């Protein structure tokens, strides 16, 4: 397949090639079984750890690969997502869980927690969402009360990706409820801490290979040394985390859209109706043209946002929101059309596009719904234009 020249470095091209081969040879043969049986892809993640791909985003001084650009990690996510985002979200969520430590953690915390993640020896998870608080981070109910050299956590987190499977958890809790969002703080928790347990594994429509569980804290004592940054920095750390993680969700969208497009075109070249391959029909071609154009546009914007993030010290929240919004809407559009264009076959589980369509829906929901992304973009525009007066 002809690909646009995005000026990728040799390292980025190598990452793309290695992850594409891994996805095709190791993930594709088992993706249907992982989905059908709700199996967490631990073995696949262990393999990625041995290939030094689990620590792409982690600085070298803390045992990681020390990628030269956000784009390196995004390319890896994109390639994995072309085959299965159930696997790719399990992979990417590891970075999401580590990001608060990278952004606000002390040198000691980074040395202790990042190296095992980089090697794939341990997995991480990010815990903000609760039964009554998701996009409204200031509405969280989990509390952390300081007692001597410890904090005591009480509360519940919901729909946590890698929940129960991860070893290291970045958890947001209220240390001063009177301050609203400014009273939130982040803590590093470890699986097995007394008072830290898990609810049931959720039975989901899509990304079924990914583990999603409730986290329960009942008088869970956490060393004060596990506070990330200072008290009250939780909201700031969360927003900075989303700035770097939302392009990763967009990469899932781009990869998934490309994977669905690949399936449709390969099917249309082989499927014969009325004496000719259905891809020869102009109506079919026009639909494919629209889907391919949207997918490439999403990829171009994604790569541009990553490069902007690497070069700029300015707030990139607007651009991260834009690409998360656009790429995930494209993924939903392309996968829905993929099912339609395969007709009855598209609805059957022996073809992967029905799974792709089920998987695509979550992309418009997690890491901030696409309605919230529009709020972020709109607020940024209002602020920008008000400052021009």
């Amino acid at each position: 397949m002809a690909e646009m020249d995005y000026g990728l470095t040799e390292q980025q091209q190598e990452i793309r090639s290695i992850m594409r081969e891994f996805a095709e040879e190791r993930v594709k043969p088992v993706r249907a079984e992982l989905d059908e049986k709700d199996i967490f892809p631990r073995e696949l993640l262990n393999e990625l750890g041995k290939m030094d791909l689990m620590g792409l985003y982690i600085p070298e001084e803390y045992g990681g690969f020390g990628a030269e650009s956000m784009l390196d990690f995004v390319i890896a996510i994109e390639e994995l997502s072309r085959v299965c985002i159930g696997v790719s979200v399990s992979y990417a969520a590891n970075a999401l869980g580590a990001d608060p430590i990278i952004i606000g953690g002390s040198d000691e915390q980074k040395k202790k927690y990042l190296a095992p993640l980089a090697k794939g020896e341990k997995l991480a998870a990010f815990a903000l969402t609760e039964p009554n608080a998701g996009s409204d981070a200031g509405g969280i109910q989990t509390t952390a009360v300081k007692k001597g050299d410890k904090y005591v956590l009480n509360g519940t987190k919901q729909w946590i990706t890698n929940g129960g499977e991860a070893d290291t958890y970045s958890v947001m809790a209220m240390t001063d409820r009177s301050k609203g969002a400014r009273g939130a703080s982040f803590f590093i928790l470890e699986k097995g801490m007394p008072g830290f347990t898990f609810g049931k594994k959720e039975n989901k429509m899509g990304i079924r290979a990914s583990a999603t569980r409730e986290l329960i804290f009942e008088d869970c004592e956490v060393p004060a040394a596990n506070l990330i940054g200072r008290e009250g920095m939780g909201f700031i750390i969360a927003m900075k985390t989303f700035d770097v993680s939302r392009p990763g969700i967009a990469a899932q969208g781009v990869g998934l859209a490309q994977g669905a497009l690949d399936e449709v075109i390969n099917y249309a070249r082989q499927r014969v109706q009325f004496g000719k391959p259905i891809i020869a029909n102009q109506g079919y071609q026009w639909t494919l043209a629209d889907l391919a154009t949207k997918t490439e546009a999403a990829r171009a914007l994604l790569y541009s946002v990553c490069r902007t993030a690497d070069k700029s010290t300015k707030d990139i929240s607007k651009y991260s929101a834009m690409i998360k919004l656009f790429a995930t809407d494209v993924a939903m559009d392309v996968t829905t059309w993929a099912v339609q264009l395969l007709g009855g076959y598209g609805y059957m589980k022996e073809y992967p596009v029905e799974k792709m369509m089920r998987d695509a829906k979550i992309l418009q929901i997690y890491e901030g719904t696409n309605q919230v992304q529009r709020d972020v973009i709109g607020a940024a525009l209002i602020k920008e234009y008000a400052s021009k007066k």
Side-chain angles (χ1 to χ4, degrees), residues 199-321:
K200 66 179 177 66
K201 185 176 183 180
E202 300 291 352
N203 186 11
K204 306 186 296 292
M205 177 174 85
I207 59 166
R208 293 176 56 79
S210 165
T212 307
R213 285 188 179 87
E214 189 178 54
L215 312 185
I216 302 167
F217 310 109
E218 296 176 307
D219 292 331
C220 177
E221 293 186 350
V222 181
N226 284 31
L227 171 69
I228 300 177
R230 302 186 307 276
E231 283 193 16
M233 287 183 64
F235 185 76
I236 294 170
I237 291 173
M239 294 306 103
K240 288 183 176 180
T241 296
F242 290 146
D243 283 349
V244 297
S245 68
R246 281 173 178 160
I249 304 301
Q252 290 179 34
V254 172
L256 180 55
Q258 186 65 60
L261 193 59
D262 293 344
E263 294 290 341
V264 172
I265 293 175
N266 288 331
Y267 170 85
R269 292 175 65 245
Q270 298 168 15
R271 173 73 166 165
V272 175
Q273 290 284 279
F274 304 106
K276 61 182 180 181
I278 59 176
I279 201 169
N281 295 314
Q282 187 181 65
Y284 212 102
Q285 291 175 17
W286 283 15
T287 301
L288 290 177
D290 288 343
L291 299 180
T293 301
K294 290 177 182 178
T295 301
E296 202 61 60
R299 181 177 290 113
L301 179 58
L302 172 61
Y303 290 9
S304 293
V305 169
C306 289
R307 287 179 167 136
T308 298
D310 290 333
K311 295 177 182 178
S312 177
T313 57
K314 296 180 181 178
D315 184 2
I316 63 160
S317 297
K318 180 181 73 173
Y319 300 114
S320 291

Side-chain angles (χ1 to χ4, degrees), residues 32-69:
E33 182 183 11
L34 296 178
D35 177 73
E36 190 73 27
K37 297 181 180 179
D38 216 11
I39 300 171
F40 185 75
R42 172 73 70 170
E43 183 179 331
L44 295 173
L45 297 179
N46 288 344
E47 288 184 42
L48 288 171
K50 292 174 183 176
M51 295 163 65
D52 287 333
L53 289 172
M54 290 297 286
L56 277 178
Y57 58 92
I58 294 176
E60 284 187 80
E61 59 264 40
Y62 300 113
F65 187 84
E68 60 194 42
S69 165

Side-chain angles (χ1 to χ4, degrees), residues 111-127:
K111 286 177 179 176
K112 179 178 180 180
Y113 291 105
L114 295 182
L117 299 179
K119 296 183 179 71
E121 296 170 354
K122 292 185 177 181
L123 297 178
F126 177 88

Side-chain angles (χ1 to χ4, degrees), residues 28 31-33 35-36 82-83 256 259-260 262-272 278 284 335 337-359:
K28 184 175 281 188
R31 66 181 173 186
E33 182 183 11
D35 177 73
E36 190 73 27
R82 284 176 76 158
V83 172
L256 180 55
D262 293 344
E263 294 290 341
V264 172
I265 293 175
N266 288 331
Y267 170 85
R269 292 175 65 245
Q270 298 168 15
R271 173 73 166 165
V272 175
I278 59 176
Y284 212 102
T335 56
W337 268 110
V339 171
Q340 183 68 30
L341 293 173
L342 263 68
Y345 291 104
Y347 204 69
M348 303 302 156
K349 287 188 177 291
E350 65 182 286
Y351 286 81
V353 292
E354 67 83 27
K355 173 187 179 300
M356 290 175 167
M357 181 180 171
R358 287 188 287 109
D359 286 349

Side-chain angles (χ1 to χ4, degrees), residues 159-201:
W159 301 327
I160 305 305
T161 302
N162 285 358
E165 302 291 342
D167 309 277
T168 303
Y169 294 79
S170 292
V171 179
M172 189 168 171
M174 299 301 293
T175 44
D176 188 345
R177 194 182 299 283
S178 68
K179 294 181 180 178
R182 301 299 174 184
S185 305
F186 261 103
F187 298 88
I188 304 170
L189 272 71
E190 298 174 35
K191 185 177 182 179
M193 281 181 166
F196 177 17
T197 57
F198 304 99
K200 66 179 177 66
K201 185 176 183 180

